[in-house]
Amino acid sequence: MSSSALSRRLALRWGAVTFGSAALGSVALSACSRGAANEVSSEISPFDDEVRAAEQSRFRSGRTVERNLTAAPARVNLGGRHVDTWSYGAEAVGPEIRISKGDRLNLRLQNDLSSETSVHWHGIAIRNDMDGVPPITQERIQPGAEFTYDFVAPDHGTYWYHSHSGLQADRGLFGALVVEDPNGRTGADEDVVIVIDDWLDGLGTTPDAVLRALSPEVPGGHHGHGGPPPEIDEAEIDSAAQLLEDGHGSSTALGGMATHITYPLHLINGRPAEDPFVVSAPAGTRLRLRVINAGAETPYRFSVAGHELTVVSADGQDVSYAVGDEILIAPAQRYDVLVTVQSGSWPIAAKVEGKTGGAACLLRTPDSVASVDLTSPAVLSVSSGRLLLESVLRPFGALEHQVPDREYSVDLIQAGDRYVWGMAGADAGRLIMKQGERIRIVMNNNTDMWHPMHTHGHTFSVPSYGGLRRDTVISLPRTQLAIDFDADNPGRWMFHCHNAYHFEAGMTADLHYVR
Ligand code: C2O
Ligand code: CU
């Protein structure tokens, strides 16, 4: 990308931030604490030597896994409902990709959509030019074109991949990416991925129509990452508006309102409760569930009826084992949990936090003859006891304590009560850093809503949660939360809210490495 294209993009981003702050009026911009303001230095681009050198230094197994993926329009069967969407295959979730720590993934993406697209590899300490964020790290993949992603995945864990163009990931353009640990510590006998998703596409509306209903004023320009949005018709906007009528719900754990959109359907591994995904394992199996929230805006409470959960990792990062009955999982977060399978047929439930409804699938032992109706309201209505929040989890290996070399203060803001969201602060549009530095970002949530905040290319630690490490953390309304990370992955990265609609409505910033 030319530097003038880049500065145009930055100008747009700054425009959004300024608009948000001006509209808020009373919210003071917090000053950047140290260092960054007057620095004039040269930026490291995704195509520079530093990026290649970082890739060279990553742990490698020597193995290469080759895959093909095609993004295309598809008609998927959701429990008898045939729904038109965009996906990576015949299902409402992309194929699971499984590799081992240190493997190189070589994946050719074919774009058979009528829109530009991209694939982002969420949570992986990836080489910057493979991060899948057009136009920052690569050109947009045009309709009919292809792009080959090629990178080493140096760390084990549960990750996922999704389109990073517009609202495409709230269609079917996402899937699980598991990086196995050959020397895993969990002793699990079996390992099953559980991808939870909130679904509205093709049910009379589309994600783009929903954004229009939420915010007539968010310009198509915020589709900066995806090019012009697809055509939207009035009927789709009308049915989108109906999904906003049920209000915001309310959640104590999330400090107030839960969501704007009431999704008509919730899926596990692309399947609704009427035609559920089934996990079958003999009694006594030590089962590892890799739970991924691929939803665009819905937080879920996850539980397995009749079973205690042992959380072993958060966002692919090992945690000290923590036992409870349910976990709260925000969009883009992942938890790996162990259960010891009990004889019988058991609902696995992902209840919408703060509202009714949710997704369900089945865990059954081969000896079980019981039939369970997962569509019964009882499956999603029981409170299952001890809730484990991320604030009580502790890392298995903490980031070594170090005084930050740079500290940024970023305000998360909303323009009044309009659906316009932003990040403000002296350096909010562009947080610069140098390789080798310890960075602290203090997020001041000045809104009445929670936000799942995500850094690309880096796993951070949360000092107030005992150094818990992850890549997506919940920022609660009207609170402050700091994240620390080592600047060890040069390039240009995004830092944004993973509520897909907040992101599209402006809640995003960039991390830039300089020399
Ligand atoms: Cu899941 Cu910008 O990322
Ligand atoms: Cu948000």
Side-chain angles (χ1 to χ4, degrees):
M1 181 175 44
S2 71
S3 66
S4 69
L6 176 70
S7 50
R8 258 199 314 279
R9 200 190 64 82
L10 285 174
L12 279 171
R13 178 64 46 70
W14 273 107
V17 169
T18 310
F19 171 60
S21 331
L24 274 155
S26 63
V27 175
L29 292 187
S30 34
C32 153
S33 317
R34 251 177 284 163
N38 303 312
E39 212 145 349
V40 185
S41 26
S42 67
E43 236 178 58
I44 296 175
S45 94
F47 313 103
D48 281 334
D49 291 345
E50 288 89 340
V51 173
R52 266 190 298 277
E55 179 72 353
Q56 285 312 319
S57 71
R58 290 193 167 98
F59 170 77
R60 287 158 189 269
S61 66
R63 222 163 63 102
T64 300
V65 176
E66 291 183 6
R67 297 293 289 261
N68 288 294
L69 217 51
T70 300
R75 175 160 291 186
V76 298
N77 182 352
L78 302 179
R81 276 186 268 207
H82 296 270
V83 169
D84 289 317
T85 187
W86 299 352
S87 69
Y88 294 124
E91 315 263 340
V93 59
E96 178 180 315
I97 299 175
R98 230 174 231 270
I99 59 177
S100 250
K101 181 178 159 135
D103 288 356
R104 174 173 163 195
L105 180 63
N106 177 279
L107 182 142
R108 195 182 65 88
L109 178 86
Q110 170 69 36
N111 182 9
D112 286 348
L113 302 169
S114 55
S115 295
E116 295 153 348
T117 195
S118 58
V119 184
H120 170 58
W121 310 92
H122 183 115
I124 295 191
I126 201 173
R127 55 186 293 171
N128 187 229
D129 55 341
M130 293 291 145
D131 195 42
V133 181
I136 309 182
T137 65
Q138 68 174 99
E139 299 289 336
R140 299 180 170 117
I141 308 169
Q142 299 293 335
E146 61 173 63
F147 184 87
T148 298
Y149 290 94
D150 190 332
F151 59 88
V152 167
D155 305 306
H156 66 264
T158 301
Y159 304 97
W160 65 302
Y161 62 93
H162 60 80
S163 164
H164 215 285
S165 297
L167 290 161
Q168 292 179 1
D170 200 21
R171 298 181 190 245
L173 294 171
F174 60 86
L177 171 54
V178 173
V179 182
E180 290 182 340
D181 181 3
N183 310 308
R185 64 182 181 131
T186 63
D189 305 310
E190 285 194 52
D191 171 330
V192 174
V193 166
I194 300 283
V195 183
I196 312 167
D197 187 40
D198 48 16
W199 191 277
L200 54 78
D201 195 35
L203 299 170
T205 191
T206 65
D208 297 283
V210 170
L211 181 62
R212 188 68 64 80
L214 281 165
S215 179
E217 64 192 307
V218 170
H222 265 305
H223 275 267
H225 304 294
E231 288 294 305
I232 304 171
D233 70 52
E234 287 301 321
E236 289 171 345
I237 300 175
D238 289 346
S239 39
Q242 287 168 25
L243 303 181
L244 308 181
E245 276 170 9
D246 268 2
H248 297 146
S250 174
S251 160
T252 310
L254 294 173
M257 71 163 102
T259 56
H260 284 82
I261 306 164
T262 299
Y263 277 79
L265 210 47
H266 299 272
L267 309 176
I268 289 182
N269 293 347
R271 313 274 290 269
E274 293 80 10
D275 175 27
F277 179 75
V278 178
V279 184
S280 181
T285 303
R286 199 168 158 85
L287 177 67
R288 176 189 196 143
L289 299 174
R290 297 176 180 266
V291 187
I292 302 171
N293 184 348
E297 86 138 8
T298 309
Y300 294 99
R301 256 183 215 231
F302 177 87
S303 61
V304 181
H307 292 72
E308 208 169 60
L309 309 177
T310 302
V311 179
V312 300
S313 77
D315 296 351
Q317 306 294 311
D318 294 347
V319 298
S320 296
Y321 288 2
V323 177
D325 300 302
E326 48 181 2
I327 49 176
L328 178 64
I329 179 166
Q333 290 188 325
R334 292 89 63 208
Y335 287 107
D336 289 23
V337 299
L338 290 178
V339 298
T340 303
V341 177
Q342 310 291 310
S343 181
S345 293
W346 309 97
I348 297 178
K351 296 182 275 179
V352 176
E353 175 70 3
K355 285 182 181 168
T356 56
C361 70
L362 195 64
L363 169 62
R364 80 146 36 109
T365 54
D367 59 321
S368 168
V369 289
S371 75
V372 178
D373 178 10
L374 294 178
T375 63
S376 142
V379 168
L380 297 172
S381 65
V382 258
S383 162
S384 339
R386 295 164 296 170
L387 170 64
L388 279 176
L389 294 173
E390 63 183 344
S391 52
V392 306
L393 298 178
R394 293 296 174 261
F396 183 63
L399 197 63
E400 215 176 288
H401 177 77
Q402 200 179 303
V403 177
D405 299 298
R406 281 174 210 262
E407 191 171 323
Y408 288 103
S409 182
V410 171
D411 294 336
L412 312 182
I413 57 173
Q414 181 181 11
D417 59 1
R418 289 179 291 148
Y419 201 87
V420 175
W421 305 88
M423 287 160 79
D427 304 285
R430 183 170 173 272
L431 312 187
I432 66 169
M433 54 202 61
K434 286 186 176 158
Q435 196 161 356
E437 292 178 336
R438 172 67 58 87
I439 308 299
R440 169 165 294 176
I441 302 174
V442 180
M443 300 179 291
N444 307 298
N445 185 342
N446 288 328
T447 75
D448 289 321
M449 196 172 184
W450 65 285
H451 304 282
M453 301 302 298
H454 169 53
T455 52
H456 282 216
H458 301 75
T459 290
F460 49 75
S461 108
V462 185
S464 55
Y465 300 163
L468 175 68
R469 302 184 74 172
R470 63 185 326 163
D471 58 61
T472 307
V473 71
I474 295 172
S475 158
L476 292 167
R478 307 286 166 194
T479 62
Q480 195 175 68
L481 190 70
I483 57 174
D484 287 359
F485 62 91
D486 283 328
D488 57 5
N489 197 6
R492 298 183 189 130
W493 305 98
M494 301 204 78
F495 167 42
H496 65 86
C497 176
H498 220 289
N499 176 320
Y501 294 85
H502 292 184
F503 175 49
E504 281 300 297
M507 194 168 256
T508 174
D510 299 323
L511 313 178
H512 284 214
Y513 280 65
V514 297
R515 294 187 179 88

